[in-house]
Amino acid sequence: LLSPPPAEIARRYFSMYPQEINPVWTNPCDSEKHREIWPEEKSCRRLPKLIIVGPQKTGTTALLRFLEAHPSLKSSKQDPVYFEEIQFFIGKNYLNGLEWYQEHFPEPNDPRTILFEKSANYFDNELAPKRIYALLPRAKIVIIVSEPARRAYSWYHHMRSHDDPVVMNYTFFEVVSAPETAPRFLRDARNRCLKPGMYAVHLARWLQFFPQQQILLIDGDQLSKDPITVLNNLQIFAGVQPFIDYSGKLEYQEEKGFYCLTETGCLSSNKGRKYPPMDVESSRYLDKFFKDHNTNLRTLLSDINYPYPLWLAQT
Ligand code: A3P
């Protein structure tokens, strides 16, 4: 019996089924057949049960740090390249495979341990919900929504502090109002600044995969001003044991203008930056820009009987 070499068979197979070129990782431990051949040392428990999916600039790092202070919540280990975010489900890291992902988590040493990760770019990525659902169908998903113009402005200052060549050469207004005729790099910056704040579009996509009970929406303003209530709600949502009182772990620091951990202090100076208020022209432009998106978010949340974040109720 003659057969072509494996690479040739693969080439023929994928020319017949091109939609299968990109893998979709599922949990080998969810299937009896796979469990039998899955090596014992590759634990099935080294997978997160909770994912903070973003978006960027809504307080995701504060939430991560506060959750890390809980004895039962263990976050993913820092990646030497990607620092605090693994960003497995988007981009090329996904092709590194399941083992690569699992290596970023500690082996849970207590049945109450809940592993979690935060990657702030999952929220507005088109592939992320599908891929996360395929691997972790029971995961709890945490989304933070801040007033979208404020989020966009924070993003602009974040990029400036990283000397991003585009934002260094354009004002905030020039970035957000860049027309379709603008150079590609400027339109890309505009999209990266504004797209994550189109909350309804992205939330609807997550709801196509995850049941509503598995999704927690956090009001980003409430996270800044009243993190203790947010953390209480999150503990209930994720079924965290033991339930701890965060009022003993967090205190408001006047100088920083934010809550900080009593034991380890405030977040670094690149979180909670000081910058001038947004100019009136940009503010008006963004009010108009996000008006329909916010209306759509209100409709979506009403449809699923979910309370509005305060900033949305007030706009
Ligand atoms: P600014 O630096 O623009 O004020 P992310 O971690 O997702 O990038 O979000 C950064 C934002 O988190 C900060 O944006 C800040 O407004 C917000 N934030 C919320 N709680 C915070 C806290 N306790 N300390 C610092 N920043 C906090």
Side-chain angles (χ1 to χ4, degrees), residues 8 65 73 80 145-147 152 187 204 208 210 223 243 275 277:
E8 176 55 20
R65 295 280 169 260
L73 291 168
V145 288
S146 315
E147 197 285 302
R187 281 181 288 132
Q208 278 173 15
F210 286 90
L223 177 62
F243 182 93
Y275 37 79

Side-chain angles (χ1 to χ4, degrees), residues 60-94:
T60 56
T61 311
L63 187 60
L64 168 77
R65 295 280 169 260
F66 298 164
L67 293 182
E68 281 173 339
H70 192 291
S72 299
L73 291 168
K74 302 274 176 258
S75 70
S76 53
K77 300 183 224 166
Q78 290 226 342
D79 184 277
V81 180
Y82 303 98
F83 301 104
E84 74 185 23
E85 300 200 351
I86 316 178
Q87 308 210 25
F88 173 65
F89 294 100
I90 56 179
K92 61 180 175 27
N93 286 347
Y94 193 65

Side-chain angles (χ1 to χ4, degrees), residues 11 21 25 32 37 85 94 110 128 138 148 158 163 189 196 219 246 252 256 258 293:
R11 197 195 57 74
I21 286 178
W25 308 120
E32 209 176 305
I37 54 167
E85 300 200 351
Y94 193 65
D110 183 306
R138 288 173 293 282
H158 168 81
D163 289 329
D219 178 341
Y246 265 91
Y252 185 75
K256 176 85 179 170
F258 284 98
H293 293 290

Side-chain angles (χ1 to χ4, degrees), residues 55-63 66 84 118 120 144 150 153-155 157-158 220 223-225 227 256 258-260 266-275:
Q56 245 189 329
K57 310 319 294 172
T58 53
T60 56
T61 311
L63 187 60
F66 298 164
E84 74 185 23
K118 92 92 169 158
I144 310 175
R150 197 201 63 69
Y153 195 46
S154 170
W155 180 87
H157 285 285
H158 168 81
L223 177 62
S224 291
K225 292 178 193 133
K256 176 85 179 170
F258 284 98
Y259 276 82
C260 303
C266 299
L267 263 57
S268 66
S269 57
N270 59 16
K271 301 290 170 184
R273 291 191 176 93
K274 309 257 185 262
Y275 37 79

